Amino acid sequence: MLRFIVRRLLQAIPTLLILSILVFAWLRALPGGPAGALLGDKATPEKIAELNQILGLDQPIFVQYFKFLGRVLTGDFGNSLISTQPVLSEIGFALPATLELSIAALLLAVGLGIPLGYVAARFRGGFLDNTTIMATLVGVAVPVFFLGYLLQFIFAEQLGLFPVGGRQDTLIGATNVTGFAVLDGILTQEWDASWDAIVHLVLPAAALATIPLAVIVRITRASVLDVMNEDFIRTAQSKGLGAPTIRRRHVLRNALLPVATTIGLQTGLLLGGAVLTERVFNLNGIGSLLAEGIERRDYPRLQALILLGAVVYVLVNMLVDISYGIIDPRVRVR
Amino acid sequence: MLQSRGARTRRIALIGLSGALALSVTACAESQRDAGADNAGTFIFGAAGNPKMFDPIFNDEGETFRITRQMYDTLLMNKPGTAEVVGSLAEKWESSNEGKTWTFTLRKGVTFHDGTPFNAAAVCFNFDRWFNMKGQAAQSQMIYYGDVFEGFAANEGDAAGDPVYKNCEAKDDSTAVLNLNKAKGAFPAAFTLPSLSISSPEALKKYNADQVTQTGDSFSYSDYANLHPTGTGPFKFEGYDQGKGEITLVRNDAHWEKAKLDKLIFKVIKDENGRKQALKTGDIQGFDYPAPADYQLLRNEGQNVLIRPSFNVLYLGINQAGNPKLADVKVRQALAHGINREQFVKSKLAEGSEVATEFVPKAIAGYTEDVPKYPYDPEKAKQLLKEAGAEGLSLKFYYPTEVTRPYMPNPADTFTAISEDLKAIGINIEPIAKPWNGGYKDDVQKLGKHDLHLLGWTGDYNDAGNFVGTFFGREKPEFGFKNDQLFQALSAADGTQGEGPHAQAYQGVNKQIMEYLPAVPIAYPTPALVVGPKVQGMVPSPLTDERFNTVSLG
């Protein structure tokens, strides 16, 4: 397993290198530059030219790239043009919000998706199955931001059951330990703060979970149906094994393999959804950083975020591969 | 059977336990929330973006200035609600030596937030600090200082020529004398600029305030700018929680105009819809620049939409270098007569906005009614085009996307209205939309790719030169014209001393500009800010210079 992990990590290096070149070239090909973003509204062409020279942006692009690469290798991604804070510390501040949201959404999607898909498959063609299929169709089709606004309108504005946005009530005065609001409340025993953070997470997590939930339900359902038609199930049945045992040991276990792949892919995609969800619910996470970075051409921030995203994607895929080995021992042998 | 009963019991117990836990947590939440009700003196304002850092001299953007304005004082300030210059840290001020010497009589008994005294030495320390700032990185970020004082002791980079600043003398504790190398029309109004806020010399030294370093494509600032901003203002910096996007200030009890609020929090909510909802649900008690289309909606909810007196101008830019026909004044006059500005202002801009007759708003000294005017007259416009031999003229009309400005709440709407009018007088319009930060400003201001474009300006201080000098003081790709007579007139007006003569000089210049018509002023839009129904004492300022020390929650 260790060799497998090391090999996968080594394979990731050229991927990330190529990506860094693409990102670098793409950002510099965009019209408007960092100098304009840095100088803001009162930027004059002369001041922009002066700043480009100070920042070395008038140098050949490959010189700029190698300087950038040299800095990145030492862990320096530069400072954000917008906030002037080091990009890595910005990401450090924003990451807890995104992780909290993504984990909550993933728990919701997996926790509900697998049982729902399984139940739908078991009662194939029935009322429950048909309803689930229809609901998942709607779930996949509704854009996250629309759903976000809809949930906000119904549950926050009209019914007043949940807060409209943000991570925590401003006046709650929670102590910041790790940056994870729910966890911090537990660590400091400020239950009020922890509960408040959870309440704030409900709507955004529900909005973000909808698409992965729908996908997981559908994949689980299809996969379970597939497995139930396999020969070994018939063998198990003919051996006289009880239905619950067959379902638990054979059907579910085998059906989970494609579901795990889907969960992995959906985890990667969650970040895309998080961009919109965070914006709608004002969560100041990675998604918000990215959206603002694109709007205002914040090169250092975008470079770091895209490369970080790629690293996360590589890692998640690696975890999925490892989980294959755990779910299905045959993969380890191959 | 036994086993399954056991499992069921466990399950029920688990549900019961979690239910009890949830209930207890809820109860706990309720009780603590009740306990927090004494936060009546905390005002939460929704900010559209994160602040840059808190050293005013390196800042140039509004979101940050709104915060630093509450923590710092300047020598002079704008009278609340107007652009009139009044005393602040300086109670009296006078100029002599033909505007080259400024003497400030300082307020007594003022201390910085770190407990050190404010005096003439502290004023001089600040001016000397700015003038002697070293390093291209630092100098390049002192945009307002560079603009007003035209350079540093050791000019690095592009800044050239003689700097305006000569030296500063602390005659006694409460008298600071500023000596300049040349007179400048921007004074005394420029002393109100938030960039020229007075910091505690001790704190500046202690936290290495001048340490601005380049890291990659950007700059990083000192601990002073990030963690220890120290002024004399009515609020003191308490902290900036970047994870939650909240900047907290607390009242400075020692301030001469002591704030009513205990605490002031700026909460970053980047999405405009989010700010609106947060105001509605009471999560925040105010935010800036609501969209004009929402004014009525907000009022229906019981919010107070506070209209600021206009301190900006929206104009249709004309690039004479792009198309030779545009160098003909008749064609430019035709454009001016061809636009139905009354209709545009009435239908597309917020209440209180007015048609612009020149390039400075009414609140500015130097504004005059006595300028050539170009009322809507499409027939005359067609006639002028005919006389100029420019019938069927085709023009590339640039307008920005992905942006709203106080002077241009909706660029696409503005473009549509104006281009329809121009089409009606027989001009062929080629629309070119570009993202504001993604090429628009480059194409228009640097490369001059356009024939027509939309732009505007919000004033920094009460001086006409800050408007017309910026636009037409020299040759620029944006307008593509060279008119030495006009350039000289602007330079002479800038150097004219005394309130009366200064204003008079600019009145003359404004008249000349409107005769020459290098661009067409369209409107003086009125931006607004909105506060909740319980908020009292917020005075909307034309310069977005709202001081929160007068605010209270009813």
Side-chain angles (χ1 to χ4, degrees):
Chain A
M1 189 56 95
L2 191 71
R3 268 187 61 197
F4 163 77
I5 293 174
V6 171
R7 205 173 62 230
R8 285 299 297 265
L9 283 177
L10 288 177
Q11 278 170 353
I13 292 173
T15 314
L16 291 176
L17 212 59
I18 292 169
L19 189 76
S20 74
I21 295 174
L22 288 177
V23 169
F24 194 84
W26 170 64
L27 284 174
R28 267 141 189 85
L30 286 177
L38 257 180
L39 290 169
D41 254 14
K42 309 275 168 176
T44 61
E46 294 78 15
K47 284 196 177 117
I48 289 175
E50 184 197 335
L51 204 55
N52 278 338
Q53 192 227 329
I54 295 172
L55 295 173
L57 293 167
D58 53 349
Q59 290 173 350
I61 186 159
F62 62 89
V63 175
Q64 292 184 46
Y65 173 73
F66 282 112
K67 277 187 177 173
F68 160 72
L69 196 66
R71 286 199 309 274
V72 167
L73 290 176
T74 62
D76 175 13
F77 282 85
N79 284 29
S80 156
L81 303 178
I82 303 166
S83 73
T84 73
Q85 302 301 314
V87 171
L88 284 185
S89 91
E90 263 195 342
I91 293 174
F93 283 119
L95 201 58
T98 306
L99 285 182
E100 257 179 2
L101 173 65
S102 305
I103 291 169
L106 202 64
L107 285 177
L108 216 58
V110 175
L112 288 175
I114 294 177
L116 274 176
Y118 180 76
V119 169
R122 247 202 94 189
F123 302 102
R124 187 186 182 181
F127 171 75
L128 201 71
D129 185 28
N130 288 336
T131 317
T132 312
I133 292 291
M134 216 158 67
T136 55
L137 258 180
V138 176
V140 173
V142 177
V144 176
F145 71 92
F146 175 73
L147 190 69
Y149 282 128
L150 196 71
L151 291 175
Q152 244 177 2
F153 179 72
I154 298 172
F155 294 100
E157 283 186 35
Q158 297 301 314
L159 300 175
L161 290 175
F162 293 98
V164 152
R167 291 181 66 195
Q168 245 172 343
D169 197 293
T170 309
L171 296 178
I172 214 152
T175 317
N176 191 346
V177 188
T178 62
F180 290 88
V182 179
L183 185 66
D184 284 353
I186 296 168
L187 290 177
T188 56
Q189 302 198 339
E190 291 168 359
W191 306 113
D192 186 17
S194 208
W195 179 250
D196 187 54
I198 292 171
V199 169
H200 276 79
L201 264 180
V202 174
L203 293 186
L208 184 57
T210 306
I211 291 178
L213 171 67
V215 173
I216 289 171
V217 168
R218 293 179 78 90
I219 298 285
T220 309
R221 180 181 174 275
S223 178
V224 168
L225 287 177
D226 253 11
V227 174
M228 287 208 290
N229 287 331
E230 292 271 355
D231 291 343
F232 65 85
I233 300 293
R234 267 193 295 279
T235 312
Q237 281 166 339
S238 63
K239 274 197 318 193
L241 273 179
T245 316
I246 293 178
R247 273 186 231 127
R248 201 175 56 243
R249 273 206 211 145
H250 298 288
V251 179
L252 202 59
R253 198 177 177 110
N254 282 294
L256 279 185
L257 210 58
V259 177
T261 315
T262 310
I263 293 172
L265 285 171
Q266 291 297 320
T267 308
L269 292 175
L270 271 182
L271 188 68
V275 173
L276 299 166
T277 315
E278 284 173 13
R279 196 73 189 220
V280 173
F281 289 96
N282 186 39
L283 290 175
N284 288 328
I286 298 286
S288 298
L289 279 189
L290 189 65
E292 194 187 36
I294 292 169
E295 262 167 39
R296 294 183 53 185
R297 303 287 191 270
D298 193 338
Y299 288 43
R301 187 190 276 182
L302 290 176
Q303 277 160 187
L305 282 173
I306 295 171
L307 288 179
L308 180 87
V311 170
V312 170
Y313 208 77
V314 167
L315 286 180
V316 166
N317 273 299
M318 205 166 74
L319 285 177
V320 169
D321 286 352
I322 294 169
S323 75
Y324 280 3
I326 295 167
I327 296 170
D328 184 357
R330 282 175 302 173
V331 176
R332 262 179 285 175
V333 180
R334 263 182 235 153
Chain B
M1 192 65 191
L2 252 177
Q3 209 180 11
S4 81
R5 192 180 298 148
R8 200 183 306 143
T9 317
R10 274 203 303 277
R11 225 173 18 238
I12 291 170
L14 209 65
I15 292 170
L17 191 71
S18 50
L21 197 72
L23 272 175
S24 67
V25 171
T26 320
C28 187
E30 291 300 328
S31 68
Q32 287 200 17
R33 216 162 275 145
D34 288 344
D38 62 346
N39 274 314
T42 301
F43 181 76
I44 309 173
F45 193 84
N50 297 83
K52 251 169 111 173
M53 40 78 218
F54 306 107
D55 188 344
I57 196 67
F58 298 123
N59 181 48
D60 63 342
E61 57 97 34
E63 290 300 337
T64 307
F65 277 141
R66 190 186 300 113
I67 301 168
T68 61
R69 271 179 169 125
Q70 319 306 327
M71 298 195 278
Y72 288 92
D73 289 304
T74 37
L75 286 175
L76 307 179
M77 64 184 278
N78 301 294
K79 187 178 170 187
T82 73
E84 189 189 326
V85 179
V86 294
S88 179
L89 280 172
E91 287 182 313
K92 276 191 275 174
W93 65 99
E94 58 182 4
S95 74
S96 54
N97 187 17
E98 294 173 326
K100 287 198 249 177
T101 303
W102 289 86
T103 305
F104 297 96
T105 308
L106 306 178
R107 190 179 288 275
K108 290 190 179 78
V110 176
T111 52
F112 289 104
H113 297 160
D114 58 359
T116 56
F118 162 78
N119 51 30
V123 171
C124 287
F125 186 95
N126 276 272
F127 276 95
D128 284 340
R129 174 195 176 214
W130 303 331
F131 180 58
N132 293 310
M133 189 68 72
K134 288 195 175 60
Q136 270 183 291
Q139 289 185 4
S140 74
Q141 296 305 289
M142 295 169 66
I143 298 188
Y144 285 102
Y145 181 87
D147 188 37
V148 173
F149 287 94
E150 299 175 22
F152 302 85
N155 279 333
E156 296 180 51
D158 205 32
D162 284 334
V164 171
Y165 180 83
K166 192 172 175 188
N167 60 36
C168 176
E169 300 166 75
K171 291 274 184 207
D172 56 53
D173 256 9
S174 56
T175 313
V177 179
L178 201 64
N179 295 305
L180 307 178
N181 284 320
K182 64 171 182 179
K184 204 165 152 115
F187 298 120
F191 292 121
T192 65
L193 274 173
S195 278
L196 305 184
S197 293
I198 305 295
S199 293
S200 155
E202 288 309 311
L204 289 171
K205 283 185 274 188
K206 190 171 166 189
Y207 301 111
N208 304 314
D210 296 353
Q211 207 175 43
V212 179
T213 46
Q214 185 191 333
T215 51
D217 291 347
S218 183
F219 301 109
S220 59
Y221 295 88
S222 67
D223 277 357
Y224 177 81
N226 287 314
L227 304 167
H228 304 284
T230 314
T232 56
F235 291 94
K236 297 190 272 194
F237 183 74
E238 187 175 82
Y240 175 17
D241 184 335
Q242 288 189 59
K244 291 190 190 131
E246 288 169 12
I247 302 95
T248 307
L249 313 183
V250 291
R251 181 173 57 211
N252 166 23
D253 286 322
H255 197 263
W256 66 91
E257 279 178 352
K258 197 170 134 182
K260 293 179 175 160
L261 298 164
D262 304 319
K263 210 179 237 191
L264 178 57
I265 298 176
F266 294 93
K267 189 180 170 77
V268 180
I269 304 177
K270 288 171 186 164
D271 183 64
E272 199 196 330
N273 198 43
R275 291 193 291 278
K276 256 189 321 197
Q277 283 175 323
L279 182 69
K280 192 175 173 185
T281 54
D283 288 352
I284 59 172
Q285 284 92 45
F287 71 89
D288 209 352
Y289 301 127
D294 290 332
Y295 287 6
Q296 201 46 49
L297 194 84
L298 288 163
R299 284 191 178 120
N300 293 346
E301 285 172 13
Q303 322 287 2
N304 289 318
V305 179
L306 307 172
I307 309 281
R308 293 188 173 109
S310 180
F311 206 69
N312 56 33
V313 63
L314 164 71
Y315 60 78
L316 171 76
I318 301 171
N319 178 14
Q320 297 185 27
N323 190 320
K325 292 283 181 201
L326 292 172
D328 188 336
V329 71
K330 283 188 177 164
V331 176
R332 302 200 296 276
Q333 286 171 347
L335 295 175
H337 280 299
I339 301 169
N340 192 346
R341 289 176 288 174
E342 279 83 4
Q343 176 64 29
F344 167 71
V345 169
K346 233 185 274 171
S347 62
K348 303 286 181 199
L349 293 182
E351 62 192 60
S353 305
E354 286 182 63
V355 169
T357 48
E358 61 211 85
F359 290 89
V360 295
K362 285 181 175 174
I364 290 267
Y367 172 89
T368 171
E369 286 290 334
D370 183 26
V371 289
K373 297 196 175 79
Y374 303 89
Y376 180 53
D377 189 343
E379 289 314 310
K380 189 167 180 185
K382 284 182 202 161
Q383 180 63 31
L384 282 163
L385 285 175
K386 198 172 168 187
E387 284 171 26
E391 287 166 298
L393 183 64
S394 288
L395 297 174
K396 282 180 284 184
F397 190 166
Y398 275 62
Y399 69 98
T401 59
E402 297 178 26
V403 72
T404 59
R405 299 281 93 188
Y407 51 77
M408 187 160 46
N410 190 333
D413 260 16
T414 308
F415 165 78
T416 307
I418 292 174
S419 62
E420 288 306 316
D421 285 347
L422 295 180
K423 279 181 203 161
I425 57 167
I427 292 175
N428 301 313
I429 295 293
E430 184 192 335
I432 300 174
K434 286 241 170 167
W436 179 256
N437 278 324
Y440 182 75
K441 287 205 291 188
D442 269 3
D443 280 2
V444 163
Q445 292 187 309
K446 208 157 111 185
L447 306 170
K449 283 185 173 180
H450 59 293
D451 294 322
L452 302 178
H453 71 288
L454 291 174
L455 214 63
W457 185 261
T458 300
D460 302 306
Y461 47 88
N462 190 350
D463 179 51
N466 185 239
F467 283 81
V468 282
T470 308
F471 308 147
F472 311 121
R474 64 213 151 90
E475 210 177 336
K476 284 168 78 177
E478 186 181 344
F479 300 107
F481 77 94
K482 192 170 182 300
N483 184 331
D484 288 330
Q485 196 199 342
L486 191 63
F487 297 162
Q488 272 164 21
L490 275 159
S491 172
D494 184 46
T496 312
Q497 287 305 303
E499 254 178 67
H502 190 69
Q504 222 168 9
Y506 272 111
Q507 286 174 1
V509 172
N510 285 332
K511 204 169 157 182
Q512 273 188 51
I513 291 173
M514 287 313 291
E515 272 161 19
Y516 186 74
L517 205 67
V520 182
I522 302 285
Y524 304 128
T526 48
L529 79 163
V530 55
V531 293
K534 287 183 181 168
V535 179
Q536 287 167 355
M538 178 75 87
V539 184
S541 155
L543 290 139
T544 65
D545 184 10
E546 288 85 20
R547 309 275 166 151
F548 289 51
N549 55 333
T550 55
V551 173
S552 64
L553 302 169

